[in-house]
Amino acid sequence: DIQMTQSPASLSASLGETVTIECRASEDIYSNLAWYQQKPGNSPQLLIYDANSLADGVPSRFSGSGSGTQYSLKINSLQSEDVASYFCQQYNNYPTFGAGTKLELK
Amino acid sequence: EVQLVESGGGLVQPGRSLKLSCAASGFTFSNYYMAWVRQAPKKGLEWVATISTSGSRTYYPDSVKGRFTISRDNAKSSLYLQMNSLKSEDTATYYCARAGIRAYVMDAWGQGASVTVSS
């Protein structure tokens, strides 16, 4: 199985700040990476796929980048509605998820 | 509007079986791969199963292979997960999800069905 190591596990940031979440794969996943947002009490929602493609309806302040084994999700100008947990997922092989990053407001 | 509605969750004893259902609407169900993903309490996400559009191909991780069976009825726009020989570690919220972009990229999710395995 491909292991996904996500960091940090938790993050506190202020409104308007830029936030970056990292994800490292145990082997090259050739940009077969997605990011999901899960707000408290809700089901996950797709944000990014193919490492840097924005899913339909996702605000442009979200962006993804990376290649090989290293990937990141950036949130520009943090909004209150961005408080959530974020998960990366590789799909180069059978899918595996990172452990998640819990984002809170400072 | 895409809607996925799970049902069939509940409390079940270890070693017993349970079948989850997912009713889909708002899209042409037969055109999409579908999946089940679970989330143990306060934990992360774990992929459980994926099924092809026709149902002829199914995929599972080792943690559930041989115990869980994913199936679909395209005429009823419904997805199923038959879970046998349940263990306490199967306790989780089970999400039905549509794989709309890539075979393993879940672009729509249901609200989840809670499964508790306990004596």
Side-chain angles (χ1 to χ4, degrees), chain B residues 60-73:
Chain B
Y60 308 93
D62 288 344
S63 59
V64 306
K65 192 178 297 183
R67 298 190 300 123
F68 289 11
T69 301
I70 187 172
S71 61
R72 65 192 297 161
D73 185 336

Side-chain angles (χ1 to χ4, degrees), chain B residues 37-117:
Chain B
V37 178
R38 68 184 179 184
Q39 186 171 33
K42 305 293 185 185
K43 297 291 186 181
L45 300 166
E46 181 185 15
W47 167 69
V48 172
T50 292
I51 189 167
S52 63
T53 52
S54 66
S56 61
R57 289 166 289 170
T58 58
Y59 310 88
Y60 308 93
D62 288 344
S63 59
V64 306
K65 192 178 297 183
R67 298 190 300 123
F68 289 11
T69 301
I70 187 172
S71 61
R72 65 192 297 161
D73 185 336
N74 286 340
K76 294 183 178 179
S77 295
S78 292
L79 180 72
Y80 307 100
L81 184 67
Q82 176 69 45
M83 302 183 291
N84 299 332
S85 304
L86 282 162
K87 307 175 183 180
S88 58
E89 52 263 43
D90 295 319
T91 293
T93 296
Y94 285 74
Y95 295 102
C96 166
R98 185 183 78 172
I101 300 174
R102 302 281 181 264
Y104 295 118
V105 175
M106 279 62 81
D107 71 339
W109 299 64
Q111 85 288 351
S114 179
V115 173
T116 301
V117 184

Side-chain angles (χ1 to χ4, degrees), chain A residues 36 38 43-44 50 89 91 94, chain B residues 39 95 102 104 106 109-110:
Chain A
Y36 299 88
Q38 186 176 30
S43 54
D50 292 352
Q89 176 225 327
Y91 47 96
Y94 284 167
Chain B
Q39 186 171 33
Y95 295 102
R102 302 281 181 264
Y104 295 118
M106 279 62 81
W109 299 64

